[in-house]
Amino acid sequence: MLQNIRNNIQGAAAKFIIALIIVPFALFGIDSLFGGSGQVPAAVVNGEKISQGELQQAIGLQKRRLIGMMGDQIDPAMLDDAILRKPALNTLIKQQLLLQAADDVGIEISTAQLHSTIAGMPQFQEDGRFSQARYEQVLRLQGYSSSFFKELLKSDLTIQQLSNAVAGSAFVAGPELSRAIGLLYEARDYHFIKVPQAPYREAIKLSDEEISAYYQEHAKEFLSEAAVRYSYLELAEDDFFEPVSEDQILAEYQRLVEASSAQIEREAAHILIEINDDTSREDALKKLQSIRDAIVAGADFGDQARANSADAGSAAEGGTLGYTSGDSFPAEFEEALAALQVGEFSPVVETEAGLHLIKLLDVRQPEVASLDSARVEITERLRRQEAMPRLIAAVEDLKDLVFNAESLAMPAKEMGLTVKQSEWQKKSDSSGLFAFATVKAAAFNADLRSQGLNSEVFELTPEHFAVLHVEEYKKPETLPLADVRDQIVMTLSQSKAEVAAQAKAEEIRTELLAGKRAETIAKAESLTWNAIAAGKRGDLAVDTAIRKRAFAMPRPGAQPSVSVLNLANGDRVVLQLLGVNYGSQTNLELALATEAEKNAYRNRSSQDFSAYFNGLWKSAKIKIN
């Protein structure tokens, strides 16, 4: 809301906040939002409790983040609460430590700063202006209420301000900067010879005896996959759909009409006079009252806002702030706005930001579709609303019936369900029910199989449940040699080829150490030779592995510096380092020198904050339950 505050939320903080909207927020617990005070806390940090409710909410947010990143490609096992619990709790503990540290040094985020930050976020803007509708839409998609989002953002801003305070004290000494520039802009002269293993592999001939011997020695590596065939029962929400009466449709439509009447949005404009060291409350009140008198006398509200408002962001737009549904601005501001008719302006209103003169520009509420156009959607929603309780009740009945049953036949008969049969499925399958990790795990559970038990009833989705019973199991068996012969030939050939390539590389290394030239050796062996002059660490023209090895080799002295590198594809590379030239600040262009200094400062700031946090962690009293 206030431009002077908005101007302070820039750089790393702004980027961090924006990232929170694009990707679901980092896991932060807000104790006041959750219950569970009677439960044993998940952790206690310096006497401050992290409740089980906070932890469950954090796990839920982590699940949303993973689903948002990976979508349908996500492995369901990654969403297991047991797996997510530890990282989620660690994040909550870290956050609690940092918030405690911020409180100790008096860091606090004001309501005005919070609202200003929200108003300045591009994700909430349309045509360069804050949009209440867009704000609510983004939060709804992320599953957040406005109050919860504000608590998350307030925690983020508090921690960011603490981080900036610690980082602001970072100092880079001259020798440290020189060393950083020397390494960053270091150049190396080197050459390398590639020894591919493919020619050796193509020349290898394997006997039947070698292949058979390898097969016998590694028989345990050539096993078929275990497979199961199972019976199963399913319960789905649409199994419980029933016709919806016309009276029900009419009643629901009337409810929607009434609800839309309550979803009123008001477009506000304001003129802000701040109270600060230069302007007392009395002077601010006198000035704003004078402005109000001028508007009453006929002056244009927008012109007065442009000329006098301290909120530069809205002043340029004639004081316009956008639409609010009642929770975008401070309570005093919203209360005064709600009391106005379109075109009216308020008496002087005081908030934490200062003194306001508020004008109501427009009022809008959602349009309700006609009954005919809404009928299909209403019918579907009512069917689901009525089906869900019946589904849940049926699931509970199914759980009771399958618990002690020897198969699924009796539960199916009692509930009027059909027992379905699967095809043979392997662990690597992901079709049908095997798309769900919990079902697959149960299908291959040795205890369920050996005791002939039914699985538990699994919630595949909130609208879909299933239970299974393993009927048959095929254990892994050694595959015949004919089925794995090609695989063995490939493995043996690759292994022998790599040994031959390694031997040749060692031979070349010996020749280089003896003083022979790389170019001469390469030509004699019909190999590729490459010379790199003044190569840099970030030179993308050279393979990353080769470049890293070249910059890790010791400077040549009395003996040449030579190294053999094994590439991921089995090829070998022989490198010889010829010279090392460290970067110098005096030889850099001004822009590069400035950027190098900034990089060194950023690295030092990061190190200082890490050391600061490690100190907090070591001195903290943390109990995890």
Side-chain angles (χ1 to χ4, degrees):
M1 206 171 92
L2 305 178
Q3 182 65 26
N4 61 331
I5 296 178
R6 183 185 296 116
N7 289 337
N8 292 326
I9 309 300
Q10 295 178 355
K15 294 176 183 176
F16 179 68
I17 295 165
I18 291 170
L20 294 181
I21 307 301
I22 300 172
V23 179
F25 289 94
L27 304 176
F28 290 137
I30 309 299
D31 187 57
S32 62
L33 299 180
F34 308 107
S37 59
Q39 295 179 324
V40 175
V44 180
V45 182
N46 293 328
E48 295 285 338
K49 296 179 181 179
I50 297 175
S51 71
Q52 295 291 345
E54 288 180 84
L55 178 56
Q56 287 305 311
Q57 182 73 12
I59 291 172
L61 292 177
Q62 179 76 318
K63 287 180 181 179
R64 278 190 218 141
R65 185 181 68 84
L66 290 171
I67 293 171
M69 291 170 57
M70 304 180 68
D72 295 339
Q73 303 302 316
I74 192 168
D75 181 352
M78 295 176 63
L79 302 178
D80 190 325
D81 283 11
I83 294 176
L84 297 177
R85 186 181 194 279
K86 184 176 180 180
L89 185 56
N90 281 343
T91 302
L92 291 174
I93 292 172
K94 291 175 183 177
Q95 184 225 14
Q96 186 65 254
L97 283 173
L98 291 171
L99 289 177
Q100 290 174 359
D103 185 61
D104 289 342
V105 297
I107 292 175
E108 185 176 351
I109 303 301
S110 69
T111 302
Q113 184 176 350
L114 189 63
H115 289 155
S116 174
T117 302
I118 293 173
M121 288 182 175
Q123 286 70 23
F124 299 149
Q125 294 182 355
E126 291 181 353
D127 299 326
R129 292 170 51 188
F130 175 81
S131 166
Q132 182 67 25
R134 177 67 177 161
Y135 171 74
E136 293 176 353
Q137 179 189 31
V138 172
L139 295 193
R140 186 165 58 250
L141 289 174
Q142 295 296 336
Y144 302 135
S145 66
S146 179
S147 59
F148 182 49
F149 167 77
K150 290 176 181 178
E151 289 293 346
L152 289 173
L153 183 57
K154 186 175 183 180
S155 295
D156 297 340
L157 290 173
T158 301
I159 292 173
Q160 186 64 44
Q161 195 163 317
L162 174 67
S163 173
N164 291 340
V166 175
S169 63
F171 174 75
V172 181
E176 183 180 356
L177 178 59
S178 296
R179 175 173 172 76
I181 291 176
L183 292 175
L184 183 63
Y185 292 97
E186 176 186 351
R188 292 196 168 202
D189 301 324
Y190 58 96
H191 49 214
F192 59 91
I193 300 171
K194 280 193 175 182
V195 183
Q197 48 81 29
Y200 296 100
R201 187 178 67 244
E202 293 167 1
I204 289 171
K205 303 297 181 184
L206 298 172
S207 67
D208 290 341
E209 289 74 17
E210 283 182 286
I211 296 171
S212 179
Y214 188 90
Y215 174 73
Q216 296 297 330
E217 185 179 348
H218 299 85
K220 291 183 179 179
E221 298 175 13
F222 305 117
L223 298 176
S224 64
E225 280 193 83
V228 293
R229 189 179 63 78
Y230 55 90
S231 57
Y232 62 99
L233 297 175
E234 290 182 288
L235 287 174
E237 184 184 53
D238 54 11
D239 295 334
F240 297 88
F241 283 171
E242 292 185 357
V244 176
S245 70
E246 183 66 16
D247 287 344
Q248 289 176 294
I249 294 173
L250 292 174
E252 177 64 11
Y253 181 74
Q254 183 60 36
R255 187 192 68 78
L256 292 176
V257 172
E258 293 172 357
S260 73
S261 300
Q263 295 176 6
I264 295 176
E265 294 181 318
R266 294 177 172 85
E267 185 180 20
H270 79 147
I271 298 171
L272 170 67
I273 304 299
E274 291 182 328
I275 300 171
N276 50 41
D277 294 340
D278 298 326
T279 306
S280 67
R281 185 182 184 283
E282 181 179 349
D283 290 341
L285 182 60
K286 186 181 298 183
K287 181 176 181 180
L288 191 59
Q289 188 61 53
S290 174
I291 294 170
R292 190 179 191 281
D293 292 342
I295 295 171
V296 171
D300 182 73
F301 188 97
D303 291 341
Q304 292 295 315
R306 278 184 280 271
N308 298 290
S309 181
D311 182 2
S314 67
E317 302 294 333
T320 301
L321 291 168
Y323 285 88
T324 173
S325 59
D327 61 355
S328 297
F329 308 121
E332 305 92 336
F333 191 107
E334 294 283 2
E335 183 178 345
L337 183 65
L340 300 175
Q341 298 295 320
V342 174
E344 290 183 347
F345 50 91
S346 69
V348 174
V349 176
E350 183 171 359
T351 72
E352 186 178 308
L355 302 181
H356 307 258
L357 188 61
I358 303 167
K359 182 176 181 180
L360 178 61
L361 302 178
D362 185 33
V363 175
R364 69 183 183 189
Q365 63 186 71
E367 291 185 9
V368 180
S370 67
L371 176 59
D372 288 340
S373 59
R375 182 181 299 277
V376 173
E377 181 184 346
I378 291 174
T379 301
E380 183 69 12
R381 183 165 62 250
L382 290 176
R383 290 170 71 191
R384 292 189 178 280
Q385 287 176 355
E386 295 182 2
M388 183 55 72
R390 291 193 285 269
L391 170 63
I392 298 304
V395 168
E396 294 303 316
D397 290 342
L398 183 60
K399 288 179 179 179
D400 293 339
L401 290 171
V402 301
F403 183 73
N404 291 316
E406 296 181 354
S407 69
L408 298 178
M410 182 274 288
K413 182 179 180 180
E414 289 288 330
M415 298 187 66
L417 302 175
T418 300
V419 178
K420 301 175 183 178
Q421 301 293 332
S422 75
E423 301 293 334
W424 284 101
Q425 289 197 270
K426 302 174 183 178
K427 277 191 174 181
S428 59
D429 289 344
S430 58
S431 60
L433 292 182
F434 267 29
F436 302 94
T438 51
V439 174
K440 186 183 295 188
F444 287 97
N445 184 290
D447 291 336
L448 290 181
R449 184 173 67 247
S450 62
Q451 298 177 41
L453 300 175
N454 297 319
S455 72
E456 63 179 285
V457 178
F458 296 110
E459 179 181 337
L460 309 182
T461 70
E463 301 84 23
H464 186 195
F465 296 79
V467 57
L468 64 86
H469 183 94
V470 177
E471 302 294 346
E472 293 184 80
Y473 173 75
K474 289 181 181 178
K475 64 180 181 180
E477 296 179 347
T478 303
L479 295 168
L481 175 58
D483 290 354
V484 297
R485 180 184 177 85
D486 290 346
Q487 180 183 343
I488 293 174
V489 169
M490 183 181 296
T491 300
L492 285 174
S493 298
Q494 180 74 16
S495 177
K496 288 176 177 287
E498 289 190 26
V499 169
Q502 181 69 27
K504 177 57 67 176
E506 292 295 341
E507 181 184 320
I508 294 172
R509 177 177 180 274
T510 301
E511 291 182 295
L512 289 172
L513 288 171
K516 201 168 183 178
R517 295 185 64 207
E519 184 178 8
T520 303
I521 298 171
K523 287 181 178 179
E525 298 288 349
S526 298
L527 297 172
T528 302
W529 169 74
N530 295 270
I532 307 298
K536 300 294 194 299
R537 293 178 185 273
D539 187 358
L540 299 180
V542 181
D543 181 271
T544 302
I546 295 174
R547 188 168 11 104
K548 285 184 176 179
R549 175 61 63 89
F551 277 84
M553 293 169 64
R555 178 195 289 266
Q559 279 281 100
S561 182
V562 184
S563 178
V564 175
L565 170 66
N566 298 343
L567 296 182
N569 64 356
D571 293 347
R572 267 45 176 181
V573 177
V574 187
L575 298 93
Q576 182 175 13
L577 179 62
L578 303 175
V580 177
N581 298 297
Y582 291 114
S584 171
Q585 188 171 5
T586 57
N587 294 332
L588 291 179
E589 295 178 5
L590 178 60
L592 292 177
T594 302
E595 184 60 28
E597 190 169 352
K598 288 180 179 178
N599 285 334
Y601 173 77
R602 282 193 288 266
N603 289 337
R604 171 53 61 188
S605 298
S606 177
Q607 293 169 7
D608 286 355
F609 188 76
S610 294
Y612 172 76
F613 178 79
N614 289 337
L616 293 177
W617 185 277
K618 289 179 181 178
S619 62
K621 294 181 180 179
I622 301 172
K623 180 183 178 183
I624 298 176
N625 296 315

